[in-house]
Amino acid sequence: MVGDKKNFFISYTSADRSWAEWIAWQVEEAGYTVVLMDWDFRPGTDFTQSMRDAAAQSERTLAVLSPKYMESVYGQQELNAAIRQDPLGRMGKLLGVRIADVELDPLIAGLVYIDLVGLKADVARERLLSGISLERAKPPEEPAFPGAYQRTITAEPSFPGALPPLWNVPHPRNPNFTGRSALLDKLHAAFSSGETAALTQAIAGLGGIGKTQLALEYAYRHASDYETVWWIRAEEPAELATDYAALAPGLGLIDEGETADVPAMVGLVKNWLERHGGWLLVFDNAEAPEGVRDYLPQGATGHAIVTSRNPNWRETATPLPMQVMNRNESVAFLKKRTGLEDEVGAASLADVLGDFPLALEQAGAYIDENAENFEGYLALYQDHRRKLLAEYGQPSDYPDTVATTWDLSIEKVREASPLSSDLLNLLAFFAPEEIPEAMLAASAEQLPEDLAEALSDPFTTNELLRPLRGYSLIEVSRDQISVHRLVQVVSRERLEEAGRKAWAGTAIEVVNGYFLFLFDVYDPATWAPSGALLPHALAAAGHAERLEAAPDATGGLLNTAGLYLQRVGQFSEAREVFERAVAIAEEVYGPGHLFFTSADINLGYVLFQLGDLAGARAAYERALAIDEVIYGLDHPEVALRINNLGGGALRALGDLAGARAAYERALAIVERAFDADHPYVATAVNNLGGVLEDMGDLAGARAAYERALVIIEKAYGP
């Protein structure tokens, strides 16, 4: 900063800019000089150095105190600098102006501040100027003549909190609005950049994700930045034109009560907006860019926000994709909305609802109205999710519940493309995130013929996805599709019982086929890509089990998923999956089927790894008994099961005599079935050597190991 010493350096955070500008204006009007970052720091200067210079070249620091200011790193630095100049506060170097309820840092807890919280503009002005006068000592030198200072800003800023002269926002400010700070800051930064391309922002996302609430909060939070804030219902062309034209009387383009042709008034309003600044237009719930493009003023005179479910705005506006809340925001909202302090319960409910704002609002309203708690609502949700999402807790400022919002979108998709609707039905039975397009493309044999044909080509696949993306029902990134879990819930619940069962069975067949294509239990290179399918395998299997759909494919998929979990060392998870596979096999095939044997052997292995030796022994014995019936007592498959029993359970349990008998029986079977030099014989002999060693028969163990070594050297080379 260059120039004479100033009376006040205004210290504030960007979130409180409107307050800082109002305060600076009033102080200057009273004859003082100020330094204000947004007025006096010009582009190209070093920000940090300018701050230091401004504080050093000002007689006093006036701090705009708010929660955001106390969290600000720069705010703390500026406070510390002022305190260092006057550590005991005798010279009044630091003066606070409180604009919101704030817990002061212990360093300045004793600071006497000017309190403007809750005051009207005229009272606040008097309190501010009186506070400056009372706290200010006469300077040792004559102050510079105020008339010599050239004001940077020529129009008085509005009093923060006051609504602009032209304001038609139809909704009150939401007292429960929580979080979304990053998006609000991003909007403000874009509008403050001055770049023409950034002056129209399109907030896009799924219905009920909070687009209108974000625009509403921005309008209230920054109302003092504008002379005009005008809300336009953009869903229907007639309403859009009428709301836009209704701005004409307020702008003085026609007299109040005068009737005029709507298209003519639209032209007058647009022309006026292109020649004047200080306005914010909100086009709420626009269907597509072409619907609002002709209403957007050209040039860089004001700001426009568009809310839309359609994400395709890049040629008309800067897209601002809106996602679900983060978990901390969800928990904070639920606690605020319900008055409950149960953080764990709030987090559990937020997880089930996928952090989706409208669903959180509905749940919060239901809990509040019915004196429920989070645990009670979750219990109700398990059995009545459709009813709770469709009928209860509808917000007063939003026309629909979660279910009705998406029902309408899904129905519009079905009308535009029945195959797209079919695809959404299928996607509803997978895990919500990262569904591979490659899996769908590879599933011609499992899918209905027309859907398989559409998914076999990238171009037709894009055409199939287009309506779903147009209503933000899905997101597509890196050849993967994501669907919010509540969209899946609504999609499944819309189907009749037979439809749910059919699509659940199709989902099982699709995942099962692709998992078997990718996964090789003996090839670690296949394990990572197969792991990406695990969430979809478990989700599809869960739906199929509940609906009793495609039990044979479900059991097979669970068995394959269990083998993957076993190979990557997730034994507890593998145990749960194998137990489900065994239960299905027993119910579908009966206990004498080969599939039952396979699942039991796999279960026995993970039980052994988990230290449940008795459980492993029982599983191996069941599998052995089945194989003896199916193959006969002397079949090599029986020898394999005997080896499992001997080494996988009996030996570990300390039953060395039983293990020795098992290994000797297995050896006798493979000696009869194969040549004496077959590697299977070497394996059986080697196993026997191990238990002989455990029993202290070192000579017998040595002989067995030497025999096994000779066979292996002969089979594979030394």
Side-chain angles (χ1 to χ4, degrees):
M1 185 192 74
V2 180
D4 297 331
K5 199 172 187 69
K6 301 297 189 292
N7 299 127
F8 288 101
F9 167 57
I10 311 292
S11 174
Y12 64 101
T13 185
S14 59
D16 303 321
R17 175 183 174 182
S18 56
W19 270 107
E21 291 186 334
W22 185 85
I23 290 168
W25 181 278
Q26 309 309 321
V27 172
E28 282 198 347
E29 282 294 295
Y32 302 99
T33 55
V34 303
V35 179
L36 187 75
M37 177 182 70
D38 283 290
W39 292 357
D40 297 306
F41 292 5
R42 309 317 305 151
T45 58
D46 182 276
F47 175 80
T48 305
Q49 189 59 46
S50 295
M51 282 292 203
R52 293 196 188 101
D53 292 344
Q57 295 177 26
S58 299
E59 294 171 354
R60 289 190 286 172
T61 295
L62 197 157
V64 182
L65 302 176
S66 72
K68 289 290 186 183
Y69 182 82
M70 298 312 300
E71 296 170 3
S72 166
V73 174
Y74 287 117
Q76 293 295 317
Q77 291 175 348
E78 291 160 20
L79 283 177
N80 291 335
I83 291 169
R84 282 197 298 270
Q85 293 183 50
D86 184 18
L88 299 180
R90 292 173 177 169
M91 295 182 289
K93 288 285 187 181
L94 177 63
L95 183 61
V97 180
R98 181 173 174 268
I99 63 166
D101 291 330
V102 59
E103 184 176 343
L104 297 180
D105 189 286
L107 195 62
I108 59 168
L111 177 70
V112 178
Y113 51 76
I114 302 167
D115 196 348
L116 304 186
V117 176
L119 302 182
K120 293 184 178 180
D122 54 346
V123 179
R125 182 183 299 107
E126 183 179 344
R127 177 80 61 85
L128 173 67
L129 298 180
S130 174
I132 292 174
S133 175
L134 289 172
E135 292 294 324
R136 183 171 178 268
K138 182 179 180 179
E141 298 178 1
E142 180 183 0
F145 176 60
Y149 180 71
Q150 293 296 315
R151 183 185 303 283
T152 307
I153 305 299
T154 57
E156 178 180 1
S158 301
F159 177 67
L163 298 179
L166 283 176
W167 170 276
N168 78 328
V169 175
H171 311 296
R173 193 170 188 175
N174 183 355
N176 297 311
F177 187 89
T178 305
R180 303 300 201 183
S181 298
L183 287 171
L184 289 166
D185 290 346
K186 195 168 184 178
L187 269 175
H188 189 250
F191 288 150
S192 302
S193 70
E195 298 177 9
T196 303
L199 299 183
T200 300
Q201 296 282 313
I203 306 170
L206 188 59
I209 206 162
K211 303 180 294 295
T212 296
Q213 285 297 319
L214 184 71
L216 187 68
E217 178 64 18
Y218 187 88
Y220 275 101
R221 188 171 295 192
H222 295 281
S224 59
D225 294 348
Y226 301 99
E227 289 295 312
T228 300
V229 175
W230 206 251
W231 196 275
I232 299 162
R233 297 166 296 171
E235 186 170 8
E236 297 294 336
E239 284 184 335
L240 192 161
T242 301
D243 287 356
Y244 195 92
L247 185 51
L251 297 177
L253 301 175
I254 62 172
D255 294 332
E256 288 286 348
E258 180 183 346
T259 59
D261 180 59
V262 168
M265 285 194 292
V266 167
L268 289 173
V269 169
K270 185 179 178 185
N271 185 47
W272 189 96
L273 294 173
E274 289 174 345
R275 292 182 290 107
H276 298 81
W279 50 263
L280 170 68
L281 302 181
V282 179
F283 295 87
D284 189 35
N285 204 22
E287 286 278 348
E290 51 270 21
V292 301
R293 191 174 290 136
D294 291 341
Y295 293 85
L296 293 171
Q298 303 300 308
T301 52
H303 304 153
I305 295 174
V306 180
T307 73
S308 178
R309 298 178 191 182
N310 190 329
N312 302 310
W313 285 87
R314 197 164 296 280
E315 291 185 6
T316 302
T318 300
L320 184 64
M322 195 165 182
Q323 307 296 333
V324 297
M325 287 178 161
N326 65 48
R327 183 55 48 82
N328 290 335
E329 289 175 334
S330 299
V331 169
F333 172 82
L334 284 171
K335 289 168 63 179
K336 186 175 182 180
R337 182 66 179 83
T338 63
L340 300 174
E341 290 300 321
D342 179 6
E343 190 139 343
V344 174
S348 297
L349 179 54
D351 183 59
V352 168
L353 298 179
D355 300 293
F356 196 80
L358 181 55
L360 295 173
E361 165 59 29
Q362 285 183 232
Y366 186 91
I367 290 167
D368 191 37
E369 291 169 8
N370 295 278
E372 278 284 359
N373 56 26
F374 298 128
E375 184 179 358
Y377 185 88
L378 277 169
L380 290 172
Y381 184 81
Q382 297 307 314
D383 296 323
H384 305 287
R385 58 172 62 90
R386 172 69 180 181
K387 206 168 185 63
L388 288 170
L389 292 176
E391 299 180 18
Y392 293 100
Q394 179 177 333
S396 58
D397 58 351
Y398 194 81
D400 297 308
T401 60
V402 167
T404 53
T405 294
W406 296 339
D407 271 341
L408 180 61
S409 295
I410 294 169
E411 186 58 29
K412 287 185 176 180
V413 167
R414 191 192 65 78
E415 292 171 2
S417 170
L419 280 182
S420 297
S421 179
D422 285 348
L423 177 58
L424 184 62
N425 290 336
L426 174 63
L427 298 176
F429 291 90
F430 299 134
E433 304 293 335
E434 299 180 349
I435 303 166
E437 286 187 36
M439 177 176 72
L440 302 176
S443 303
E445 295 182 6
Q446 291 82 24
L447 293 173
E449 185 177 348
D450 49 357
L451 185 58
E453 184 178 352
L455 289 167
S456 65
D457 177 77
F459 178 80
T460 51
T461 297
N462 288 336
E463 292 300 302
L464 205 59
L465 298 175
R466 188 188 306 279
L468 298 172
R469 293 184 69 244
Y471 287 96
S472 291
L473 292 168
I474 65 170
E475 293 181 7
V476 181
S477 176
R478 302 186 308 277
D479 297 325
Q480 294 178 326
I481 304 169
S482 296
V483 193
H484 192 277
R485 66 186 60 186
L486 292 187
V487 174
Q488 292 180 309
V489 169
V490 172
S491 297
R492 292 194 299 267
E493 296 293 333
R494 291 179 83 248
L495 297 168
E496 299 292 336
E497 180 74 15
R500 281 198 292 273
K501 193 166 184 176
W503 284 112
T506 301
I508 279 288
E509 298 282 1
V510 166
V511 183
N512 194 30
Y514 200 57
F515 214 139
L516 291 172
F517 169 72
L518 286 183
F519 180 61
D520 183 342
V521 70
Y522 299 109
D523 183 2
T526 69
W527 297 352
S530 303
L533 290 183
L534 183 68
H536 305 299
L538 298 180
H543 293 305
E545 286 172 291
R546 283 189 293 274
L547 294 165
E548 298 181 347
D552 50 349
T554 303
L557 179 57
L558 287 170
N559 195 54
T560 305
L563 286 171
Y564 164 79
L565 289 166
Q566 170 191 312
R567 278 296 187 265
V568 297
Q570 297 182 39
F571 296 114
S572 295
E573 294 82 355
R575 172 182 182 168
E576 188 264 335
V577 170
F578 281 136
E579 285 174 342
R580 288 162 62 186
V582 167
I584 291 173
E586 187 166 16
E587 183 176 345
V588 174
Y589 304 113
H593 194 276
L594 279 176
F595 181 81
F596 188 90
T597 302
S598 174
D600 242 340
I601 288 296
N602 293 332
L603 175 60
Y605 179 82
V606 296
L607 291 173
F608 178 81
Q609 294 295 324
L610 289 166
D612 182 1
L613 302 180
R617 175 178 181 170
Y620 288 141
E621 286 176 340
R622 285 196 304 270
L624 174 59
I626 294 169
D627 277 358
E628 285 179 332
V629 171
I630 293 174
Y631 295 111
L633 298 179
D634 293 330
H635 195 279
E637 286 291 333
V638 171
L640 184 60
R641 301 293 175 254
I642 294 169
N643 265 321
N644 292 140
L645 176 61
L650 297 176
R651 188 176 173 189
L653 282 164
D655 182 3
L656 300 183
R660 175 176 179 170
Y663 286 140
E664 287 175 340
R665 181 185 170 195
L667 175 59
I669 292 172
V670 295
E671 282 180 326
R672 286 193 294 272
F674 302 101
D675 295 335
D677 294 334
H678 197 283
Y680 284 178
V681 174
T683 299
V685 172
N686 194 68
N687 290 338
L688 178 60
V691 75
L692 292 174
E693 183 178 354
D694 292 345
M695 298 178 76
D697 182 1
L698 301 185
R702 174 177 178 168
Y705 289 146
E706 287 176 340
R707 181 184 172 192
L709 177 59
V710 169
I711 296 172
I712 294 300
E713 285 183 329
K714 186 173 182 180
Y716 300 115

